[in-house]
């Protein structure tokens, strides 16, 4: 028996069965240039393939919103225009034009150090593979033919692959690459299919036909388990099912501690689809709407009207407060149509609010759209990467100009719209008392705060072990910001991954965090933990934790408390 420890769980649960390795057939373009007199016929060939794929995806979209996203991608102007241009101007056949365009768009998304945007590359790959199959007149090898209890192993799975699975046979899956918030992971959760993603080279320890247990609760793969281990996991699976039923019983109950401390339970969202998922999980609002999705999924800077439609839809879908983060590009997030100079240290360079305060036209367009949408629901504005009162004042001055413009145009908006900042730098932590005079709320972005507070690049494998949000410096910074906000009468939320960490719940309750915003799938468990806690006990516990000198002391206290 061998046990492999894995870090990323995409969909919780326990799966058992024989290991099956899935490798889709590689599809390469039939390379070749075409003559000028052939471009018309080649365009027609591409259009026919496109129409075939649209019909296929439309059927799938009836039962899955994820395939509605794929349908939008098939019709995306950036994809269409690039392929058509390569056929007409570069005289490439449809297959080569499609292959090159797909690679270019995937590269753009994969270069971003953000799981949400990297996973969009998988969606592009999936859609373009479908079109390539249609161009070649081929059908995809289906996973539906698998028989017997099977755990699927693959370098990567797409939503199309998942839709083809025979759930009577496939009990779970493991992928070499991928993120916890990928579309295939979302589909796995929707199907209650245990899944581990991004396991890397650990997958090489498994051989086809091995008896395996996928522990997608603690992140393990057990190879050739003995009888005692099989019985142990059988009991664990039963206990897990019972826990799920227990969590469901609190779905309609408020996130309030046993001694009456009420918090807001919000969700982070990267697009409109995420908002639907969040409301289904009982989120009271959206604590972070990453507006970048509008810019990344377009071949141009979105217009005021395009943004207004999206933000209005977000407000109507949510029904509660939606906090829209203004455009946060730079660092690891680039737009193919927006020229930026190469920087030696992009994470410390021209990014987020720094870009917007220089590129006022882009900033004004976004603020005008947000203000217009605020007439249709409760919307708040959040500025990223603020490091000084001067920046906050300058941003709010632009907002005031936009309000005046809409008033002149006779367009309705919420005149009392709230504006807050993401606290994600040491400067914002140390100046929190000053910033609280000018902000309506704080939201702590623990992902970047941890990176900047510890001077650790979270994308660097050499220093990954140093990246720890339970480090005393990060914990004390969180407490300091919450206390500063409360001294000045403004609420403090958190939209980093820490807010959805079960171990962090007693700490954050003890500090008095007002709003927890997290991945939608984390909401049921965090709600349950909040309701099972007492604020007075959490306060006492958090004081002990803040006296810790070493991260390992913090971990020990957390383990003892469980």
């Amino acid at each position: 028996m061998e046990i492999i420890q894995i870090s990323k769980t995409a969909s919780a649960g326990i799966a058992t069965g024989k290991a099956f390795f899935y490798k889709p057939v590689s599809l390469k373009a039939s390379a070749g240039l075409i003559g000028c007199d052939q471009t018309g016929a080649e365009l027609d060939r591409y259009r026919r393939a496109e129409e075939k794929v649209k019909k296929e995806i439309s059927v799938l979209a009836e039962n899955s919103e994820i395939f509605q996203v794929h349908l939008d991608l098939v019709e995306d102007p950036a994809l269409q225009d690039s392929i058509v241009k390569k056929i007409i101007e570069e005289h490439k056949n449809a297959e080569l034009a499609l292959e090159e365009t797909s690679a270019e768009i995937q590269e753009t998304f994969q270069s971003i150090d953000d799981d949400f945007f990297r996973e969009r590359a998988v969606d592009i790959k999936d859609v373009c593979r479908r079109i390539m199959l249609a161009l070649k007149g081929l059908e995809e090898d289906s996973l539906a033919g698998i028989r017997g209890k099977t755990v699927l192993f693959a370098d990567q799975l797409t939503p199309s692959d998942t839709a083809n699975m025979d759930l009577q046979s496939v009990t779970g899956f493991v992928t070499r690459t991928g993120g916890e918030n990928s579309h295939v992971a979302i589909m796995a959760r929707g199907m209650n299919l245990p899944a581990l993603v991004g396991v890397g080279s650990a997958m090489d320890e498994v051989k086809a036909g091995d008896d395996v247990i996928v522990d997608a609760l603690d992140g393990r793969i057990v190879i050739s388990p003995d009888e005692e281990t099989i019985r142990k996991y059988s009991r664990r699976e039963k206990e897990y099912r019972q826990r799920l039923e227990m969590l469901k019983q609190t779905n309609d109950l408020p996130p309030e501690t046993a001694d009456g401390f009420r918090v807001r339970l919000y969700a982070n969202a990267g697009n409109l689809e995420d908002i639907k998922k969040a409301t289904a999980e009982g989120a009271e609002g959206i604590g972070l709407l990453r507006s970048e999705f509008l810019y990344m999924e377009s071949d141009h800077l979105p217009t005021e009207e395009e943004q207004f439609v999206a933000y209005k839809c977000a407000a109507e879908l949510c029904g509660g407060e939606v906090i829209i983060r203004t455009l946060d590009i730079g660092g690891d997030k680039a737009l193919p149509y927006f020229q930026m100079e190469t920087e030696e240290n992009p994470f410390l360079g021209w990014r987020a609010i720094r870009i917007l305060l220089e590129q006022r036209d882009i900033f004004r367009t976004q603020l005008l759209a947000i203000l217009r949408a605020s007439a249709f629901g409760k919307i708040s504005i959040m500025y990223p990467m603020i490091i000084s009162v001067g920046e906050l004042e300058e941003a709010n001055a632009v907002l005031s100009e936009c309000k005046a413009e809409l008033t002149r145009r006779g367009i309705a908006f919420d005149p009392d719209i709230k504006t807050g900042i993401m606290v994600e730098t040491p400067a914002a932590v140390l100046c929190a008392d000053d910033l609280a005079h000018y902000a309506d709320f704080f939201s702590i972005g623990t992902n970047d705060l941890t990176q900047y507070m510890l001077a650790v690049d979270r994308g660097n494998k050499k220093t990954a072990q140093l990246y720890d949000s339970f480090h005393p410096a990060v914990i004390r910074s969180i407490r300091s910001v919450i206390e500063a906000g409360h001294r000045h009468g403004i609420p403090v939320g958190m939209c980093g991954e820490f807010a959805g960490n079960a171990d962090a719940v007693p700490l954050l309750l003890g500090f008095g965090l007002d709003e927890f915003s997290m991945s939608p799938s984390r909401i049921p468990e965090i709600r349950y933990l909040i309701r099972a806690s007492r604020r007075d006990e959490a306060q006492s516990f958090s004081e002990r934790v803040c006296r810790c000198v070493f991260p390992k002391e913090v971990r020990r206290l957390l383990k003892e408390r469980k």
Side-chain angles (χ1 to χ4, degrees), residues 78-380:
L79 180 70
Q80 297 285 332
D81 294 349
S82 176
I83 292 170
V84 170
K85 180 180 178 182
K86 288 179 187 296
I87 293 173
I88 295 176
E89 297 181 13
E90 300 176 26
H91 304 295
K92 291 174 178 173
N93 68 5
E95 292 176 25
L96 189 57
L98 173 67
E99 184 176 80
E100 290 184 358
T101 296
S102 176
E104 289 163 4
I105 298 175
Q106 285 182 64
E107 184 179 1
T108 298
F109 283 112
Q110 286 168 341
S111 66
I112 301 171
D113 184 22
D114 183 293
D115 284 345
F116 169 76
F117 291 110
R118 277 203 297 263
E119 292 302 336
R120 297 297 74 79
V122 179
D123 293 323
I124 289 289
K125 181 179 179 180
D126 193 3
V127 165
C128 290
R129 181 177 175 81
R130 280 182 172 273
I131 299 174
M132 186 68 83
L133 284 165
L135 283 170
K136 289 178 173 292
L138 301 173
E139 296 294 331
E140 183 64 276
D141 289 340
S142 176
L143 289 168
I146 294 174
R147 293 290 178 266
K149 288 182 67 176
T150 300
V151 176
L152 192 65
F153 287 78
D155 287 343
Q156 185 181 67
L157 287 174
T158 67
S160 294
D161 294 328
T162 310
N164 282 334
M165 287 181 189
D166 177 1
L167 297 182
Q168 298 298 314
S169 299
V170 177
T171 61
F173 67 78
V174 179
T175 63
R176 188 182 301 275
T177 62
E180 297 158 83
N181 293 311
S182 64
H183 276 165
V184 72
I186 292 168
M187 288 181 71
R189 289 193 286 269
M191 296 185 291
N192 294 317
L193 197 65
L196 297 174
V197 297
V199 306
S201 60
M203 203 169 81
D204 298 334
E205 301 297 317
V206 184
K207 297 180 177 62
D210 281 347
D211 288 314
V212 294
I213 297 174
V214 172
D215 177 357
L217 298 176
D218 294 331
R220 294 191 185 105
I221 301 173
V222 183
I223 306 171
S224 302
D226 54 32
E227 288 300 320
E228 183 181 345
T229 302
I230 292 171
R231 285 194 296 270
K232 183 185 82 171
Y233 272 101
S234 179
R235 289 193 300 271
R236 285 201 65 203
E237 184 174 17
K238 183 178 179 181
E239 290 167 0
Y240 171 66
R241 297 298 170 192
Q242 290 172 340
R243 180 171 175 77
L244 284 182
E245 288 303 314
M246 184 171 60
L247 291 178
K248 285 180 182 177
Q249 292 172 14
T250 66
N251 274 0
D252 298 323
L253 298 175
E256 180 177 285
T257 64
D259 52 348
F261 179 64
R262 178 72 157 84
V263 300
R264 296 193 301 276
L265 203 51
Y266 283 11
N268 300 334
N271 52 30
L272 299 179
E273 178 191 319
D274 286 350
I275 295 177
K276 294 176 184 177
K277 173 71 173 173
T279 56
E281 293 287 4
E284 299 174 296
I286 300 298
L288 167 63
L289 177 58
R290 303 178 183 92
S291 62
E292 296 81 58
F293 79 96
L294 285 170
Y295 297 79
M296 297 299 299
E297 296 177 2
S298 175
D299 61 348
H300 61 276
L301 287 167
T303 65
E304 178 187 324
E305 189 64 25
E306 288 170 336
Q307 293 189 63
F308 160 66
V309 170
Y311 302 145
K312 175 176 177 284
C313 185
E316 292 173 340
L317 280 173
C318 177
E321 181 182 20
V322 177
I323 300 176
I324 300 175
R325 182 178 69 187
T326 56
L327 180 61
D328 186 5
I329 57 169
D332 58 337
K333 295 193 281 285
L335 301 176
Y337 50 82
F338 183 74
Q339 192 65 38
M340 295 180 68
E341 294 180 11
T342 302
E343 297 178 292
E344 186 174 343
N345 248 320
F347 285 99
L348 304 179
W350 198 51
R351 57 172 299 194
I353 198 67
R354 298 167 186 175
I355 293 176
L356 294 180
L357 291 177
E358 284 192 36
Q359 302 287 323
R360 293 295 178 92
D361 288 346
I362 297 175
F363 196 22
R364 285 174 56 84
T365 297
Q366 182 170 35
L367 291 178
L368 286 166
I370 294 173
L371 283 170
R372 287 174 59 191
S374 70
F376 298 88
K378 183 174 175 53
I379 288 179
S380 300

Side-chain angles (χ1 to χ4, degrees), residues 55-89:
K55 289 177 182 177
E56 292 173 354
I57 297 178
S58 294
V59 174
L60 294 170
E62 292 176 5
N63 298 309
S64 172
E65 292 171 357
I66 287 170
F67 284 105
Q68 181 58 56
V69 174
H70 282 206
L71 195 57
D72 294 339
L73 285 175
V74 177
E75 301 169 336
D76 184 78
L79 180 70
Q80 297 285 332
D81 294 349
S82 176
I83 292 170
V84 170
K85 180 180 178 182
K86 288 179 187 296
I87 293 173
I88 295 176
E89 297 181 13

Side-chain angles (χ1 to χ4, degrees), residues 455-493:
V456 172
D457 177 1
R458 56 192 171 116
N460 187 331
K461 293 179 181 178
K462 291 282 189 182
T463 58
Q465 75 280 4
L466 298 175
Y467 182 87
D468 185 2
S469 295
F470 285 100
H471 188 289
V474 180
I475 289 172
R476 293 171 193 171
S477 297
I478 292 169
R479 179 184 63 176
S480 175
V481 171
I482 294 172
E483 289 176 346
H486 291 172
R487 272 195 298 274
H488 299 280
I490 67 170
V492 182

Side-chain angles (χ1 to χ4, degrees), residues 527-552:
R527 180 194 289 111
Y528 176 80
L529 291 173
I530 290 169
R531 291 187 58 81
S533 301
R534 288 188 61 86
R535 172 79 195 289
D536 52 4
E537 293 174 358
Q539 285 175 305
S540 175
F541 176 72
S542 62
E543 288 170 8
R544 288 176 62 201
V545 170
C546 283
R547 290 195 291 270
C548 291
V549 177
F550 302 103
K552 64 181 180 182

